[in-house]
Amino acid sequence: ALESYRASLAIRERLMLGDPGHAGWQRGLSVSHNKVGDVHVAQGDLRAAMESYRSDLAIAERLALRDPGNAGWQRDLSVSQEKVGAVQVAQGDLPAALESYRASLGIRERLALGDPGNAGWQRDLAVIQEKVGAVQVAQGDLSAALEWYRASLAIRERLALGDPGNAVWQRDVAVIRQRVGDVRMAQGDLCAAMESYRLDLAIAERLALRDRGNAGWQRDLSVSHDRVGNVHVAQGDLPAALESYRASLAIRERLAL
């Protein structure tokens, strides 16, 4: 894949050099840098990934400045900032990651406010809010993390209510409820953690029943059982914990066969 993406990158670089003012060639080159960066991340080469993502980011910034009213280019810039932030998280540079994620967040807030009916913009905002929250968890700022997770949850619940049959929206709600539960657990609020985990579990059960052949959803359900079991252990209810863990075990045994 890397060889193919590099070949594409070389072609796009030549096109851009031949016509530096052509926005289409600029964006195409940006996309190639992004894809090369993704491969480097998958290979574990974070330094090379960062180099590619920063090249992508530089082009995305120029295009976004060139036409601030172009929502697509603004979103491209937010994605580029998000990719840089993800590498910074992997490198352990949490302050830099938070700065990158907040830059992405600012763009996504503007896009979501400018078009409240655009579900894609809304979901983009919810995703970056979750990532900001995750960095703050890693930094030990649980209260701030909880605020961002709740903000993300509110958007995801609206999306899920607007399209109850959309499995992606439903899973998004389950995931962020689990994040809220994790923070509550870390704060020592076991009742609130259990409430979040049970709501997550209810969605995971529905999705797993809806498509028994979906291994990802089955695994999600096993993780939800684990989380509930963890709270039972912390509460001293070992029989209930054993029941939850056995439910998780049964799913994982089926997946392992």
Side-chain angles (χ1 to χ4, degrees):
L2 186 58
E3 185 177 345
S4 296
Y5 288 149
R6 280 176 170 164
S8 175
L9 177 65
I11 293 169
R12 290 176 170 177
E13 283 178 330
R14 289 197 298 271
L15 289 171
M16 187 202 70
L17 287 172
D19 187 359
H22 194 296
W25 298 161
Q26 296 284 332
R27 186 178 186 277
L29 181 58
S30 173
V31 169
S32 288
H33 280 303
N34 200 321
K35 289 182 177 179
V36 168
D38 290 346
V39 174
H40 283 310
V41 167
Q43 293 176 328
D45 190 344
L46 298 181
R47 181 175 296 181
M50 181 64 87
E51 183 180 348
S52 293
Y53 287 151
R54 287 204 181 279
S55 295
D56 162 37
L57 177 61
I59 298 170
E61 286 174 333
R62 288 198 298 271
L63 289 173
L65 284 171
R66 177 174 173 174
D67 186 358
N70 187 317
W73 290 354
Q74 297 298 318
R75 182 184 186 273
D76 285 348
L77 177 55
S78 79
V79 171
S80 299
Q81 290 162 333
E82 181 183 7
K83 293 284 181 75
V84 168
V87 174
Q88 289 165 331
V89 168
Q91 291 175 326
D93 191 348
L94 298 181
L98 191 57
E99 183 178 351
S100 295
Y101 284 155
R102 281 181 168 156
S104 178
L105 174 70
I107 295 170
R108 294 182 183 189
E109 285 176 334
R110 292 194 296 273
L111 290 173
L113 285 171
D115 188 358
N118 187 316
W121 295 162
Q122 299 299 318
R123 184 172 188 267
D124 280 350
L125 177 56
V127 167
I128 201 65
Q129 287 171 331
E130 178 186 353
K131 291 189 176 184
V132 170
V135 172
Q136 290 179 318
V137 166
Q139 291 179 322
D141 191 347
L142 298 181
S143 295
L146 186 59
E147 286 185 25
W148 286 113
Y149 285 159
R150 283 174 168 167
S152 180
L153 174 62
I155 294 172
R156 294 178 187 200
E157 285 182 327
R158 288 197 300 272
L159 291 172
L161 285 171
D163 187 0
N166 188 316
V168 172
W169 297 162
Q170 298 298 319
R171 184 178 184 276
D172 279 354
V173 173
V175 167
I176 199 64
R177 282 201 177 280
Q178 193 175 103
R179 300 285 184 271
V180 170
D182 290 346
V183 172
R184 287 304 204 179
M185 190 78 170
Q187 291 175 324
D189 190 341
L190 299 182
C191 290
M194 181 65 88
E195 181 182 358
S196 292
Y197 287 151
R198 286 202 181 280
L199 290 168
D200 159 40
L201 177 63
I203 298 171
E205 286 175 332
R206 290 197 299 271
L207 290 174
L209 284 171
R210 178 174 172 174
D211 186 355
R212 295 178 185 274
N214 187 316
W217 290 354
Q218 298 301 317
R219 184 184 182 281
D220 285 348
L221 178 56
S222 76
V223 171
S224 298
H225 282 302
D226 277 348
R227 290 296 208 282
V228 170
N230 292 343
V231 179
H232 284 311
V233 168
Q235 291 174 328
D237 190 347
L238 298 185
L242 190 58
E243 182 179 352
S244 294
Y245 289 152
R246 280 178 169 159
S248 176
L249 175 65
I251 296 169
R252 295 185 182 192
E253 285 177 333
R254 290 196 298 272
L255 291 174
L257 290 175

